[in-house]
């Protein structure tokens, strides 16, 4: 087999899972800047399936919603989302900037099967059936069937011109985290992405090995050496001149005495 027939090595790649509503764009951009030769593949996954996908090796890491199984997965919480109520634009609730749970007591509150909020007791009145998905629930809100409580990112994801939303006080909130399978040690590419989401610099000692500073060329080294030599010579000349002014005869040894004035001593 000739050199031209030898198959090239496949570069390592990094698969990043993410759940709906989470936007990994800024971190992906930094990844491409720092590791342009390492492809990053985005894998969208429903929230309920994200943990199993990571545990089965379907992705190296994922941007998921907590909680996760800490016996299988590691996780770093990133941020907490505000919960909002999605309502028609002509709904009475739109008159307020914020909504409380008691404000929704008379509303039919839709509870989709893929809900990501941890409710102890759902506010309002229950619908006859649970919508299959958040997208289906949004369609029902637009049809005037009820209202929907979701993290703000999902309200933006399913935005419609005839709908709006308001923050809901004292409602459960959704926390987003970076998660990955528990391994010892953590794979290098996962460490790279951890560093990116945590804002580490490219030369962080916990990330990739720091790039060594460029070494000066031989010409630059010689120039620096000549400069140091010239500085030393100038210092020696300055010191000699200072010694002569202090009373050191040229070409001789210092007398240790400052020159006095000539003349006869004063009479007492």
């Amino acid at each position: 087999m000739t050199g031209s027939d030898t198959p090239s090595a496949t570069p390592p790649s990094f698969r990043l899972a993410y759940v709906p509503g989470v936007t990994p764009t800024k971190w992906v951009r930094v990844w491409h800047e720092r590791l342009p030769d390492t492809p990053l593949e985005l894998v969208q996954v429903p929230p309920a399936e994200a943990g199993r996908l990571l545990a089965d090796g379907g992705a190296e890491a994922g941007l998921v919603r907590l909680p996760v199984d800490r016996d299988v997965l590691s996780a770093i919480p990133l941020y907490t989302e505000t919960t909002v109520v999605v309502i028609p634009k002509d709904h009475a609730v739109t008159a307020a900037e914020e909504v409380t749970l008691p404000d929704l007591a008379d509303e039919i509150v839709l509870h989709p099967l893929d809900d990501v909020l941890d409710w102890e007791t759902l506010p309002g009145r229950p619908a006859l059936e649970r919508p299959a998905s958040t997208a289906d629930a949004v369609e029902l809100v637009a049809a005037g069937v009820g209202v929907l409580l979701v993290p703000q990112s999902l309200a933006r994801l399913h935005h419609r011109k005839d709908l709006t939303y308001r923050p809901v006080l004292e409602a459960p909130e959704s926390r987003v985290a970076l998660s990955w399978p528990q391994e010892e040690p953590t794979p290098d590419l996962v460490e790279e992405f951890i560093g990116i989401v945590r804002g580490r610099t490219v030369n962080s000692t916990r990330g990739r090995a720091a790039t060594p500073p460029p070494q000066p060329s031989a010409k630059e080294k010689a120039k620096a050496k000549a400069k140091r030599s010239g500085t030393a010579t100038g210092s020696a000349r300055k010191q000699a001149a200072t010694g002569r002014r202090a009373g050191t005869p040229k070409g001789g040894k210092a007398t240790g005495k400052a020159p006095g004035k000539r003349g006869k001593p004063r009479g007492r």
Side-chain angles (χ1 to χ4, degrees):
M1 181 180 292
T2 64
S4 59
D5 296 331
T6 303
S8 58
T10 303
S13 62
F14 184 75
R15 288 164 297 173
L16 177 67
Y18 69 103
V19 296
V22 176
T23 306
T25 306
K26 62 180 179 180
W27 296 312
V28 172
R29 183 177 64 250
V30 176
W31 177 278
H32 290 317
E33 291 172 353
R34 295 188 183 181
L35 293 93
D37 298 326
T38 304
L40 186 151
E41 178 186 356
L42 291 174
V43 181
Q44 190 176 60
V45 58
E49 300 177 14
R52 184 169 64 252
L53 177 77
L54 292 173
D56 293 344
E60 279 69 44
L63 297 167
V64 304
R65 296 187 184 276
L66 294 177
V68 297
D69 186 351
R70 292 302 185 112
D71 292 332
V72 179
L73 302 174
S74 298
I76 300 173
L78 300 178
Y79 57 90
T80 300
E81 285 200 67
T82 299
T83 297
V84 301
V85 58
V86 180
I87 46 180
K89 282 191 171 180
D90 58 357
H91 196 284
V93 169
T94 59
E97 294 184 359
E98 296 178 326
V99 178
T100 64
L101 294 179
D103 292 335
L104 305 175
D106 296 330
E107 301 289 341
I108 294 177
V109 177
L110 302 168
H111 191 203
L113 294 175
D114 62 354
D115 185 20
V116 297
L117 299 175
D118 186 16
W119 292 101
E120 291 185 4
T121 303
L122 197 69
R125 297 183 293 140
L128 296 177
E129 294 182 1
R130 294 185 65 180
S133 67
T134 298
D136 292 335
V138 170
E139 293 294 329
L140 292 175
V141 173
V145 174
V147 300
L148 174 65
L149 287 92
V150 291
Q152 185 169 319
S153 66
L154 289 179
R156 290 174 175 171
L157 178 65
H158 297 287
H159 171 72
R160 289 174 52 118
K161 292 182 178 180
D162 53 348
L163 300 180
T164 186
Y165 59 83
R166 292 291 186 272
V168 181
L169 302 177
E170 299 180 356
E173 296 174 320
S174 176
R175 292 188 298 158
V176 175
L178 173 65
S179 183
W180 65 95
Q182 288 188 5
E183 294 183 35
E184 290 294 340
T186 303
D188 290 343
L189 291 181
V190 175
E191 282 285 4
E192 285 284 356
F193 199 79
I194 292 172
I196 289 172
V197 299
R198 283 185 161 175
R200 295 180 194 151
T201 61
V202 67
N203 287 330
S204 169
T205 56
R206 294 190 62 183
R208 276 183 299 153
T211 303
Q215 297 298 316
S217 64
K219 183 177 180 180
E220 290 172 332
K221 288 181 179 179
K223 185 176 180 180
K225 184 177 180 180
K227 184 176 181 180
R228 289 194 299 270
S229 177
T231 301
T233 302
S235 298
R237 290 176 178 172
K238 184 177 180 181
Q239 185 177 2
T242 303
R244 288 196 298 272
R245 286 196 297 270
T248 304
K250 186 175 180 181
K253 296 182 180 180
T255 61
K257 298 181 181 179
K261 294 183 179 179
R262 296 182 180 179
K264 295 181 180 180
R266 292 182 181 178
R268 292 184 181 178

